[in-house]
Structures are given as structure tokens and as C-alpha cells.
Amino acid sequence: MNLSAPTQIVFIISLVIAIIGLLAALGVLAFIPLASVWIMLIAYIVLAAGCLMRGA
């Protein structure tokens, strides 16, 4: 399996999602109905998908 580096936009999107998850874990964003672990998992999946897909 060949992996490629994610594009800058995919990296920034996953970083923003991870920061939202971190803020939810700290209680700053208490209005988000998802647990912070699931938000961080979504960020990781976005980053992994960016590494697995070419040109994404």
C-alpha cells in the first residue's frame, strides 16, 4: 500500500476538527452533543483518508 502525504487543506480540516474535539473535552464547547473522543476519531479518519487517497 502506497501512502502519500495529505494536501494542506485536508491537514488543516483535520486539525480544526481535532481542536474542536479538544475544546469539547475541556468543556469549552459543551453544546456539541458528541463525545470528544468521537470528534477526535473523526479528525484522525479524515487525516488517514487524506494519506490513503492520492490527490485528495
Side-chain angles (χ1 to χ4, degrees):
M1 174 187 327
N2 291 333
L3 298 176
S4 59
T7 57
Q8 187 174 7
I9 189 73
V10 172
F11 179 76
I12 290 174
I13 289 171
S14 67
L15 183 65
V16 167
I17 295 171
I19 289 173
I20 290 171
L22 180 65
L23 290 175
L26 295 174
V28 176
L29 299 176
F31 60 87
I32 297 178
L34 288 173
S36 60
V37 174
W38 295 113
I39 298 172
M40 297 290 251
L41 181 67
I42 292 169
Y44 184 76
I45 289 171
V46 168
L47 186 61
C51 290
L52 291 173
M53 289 189 243
R54 290 182 186 246

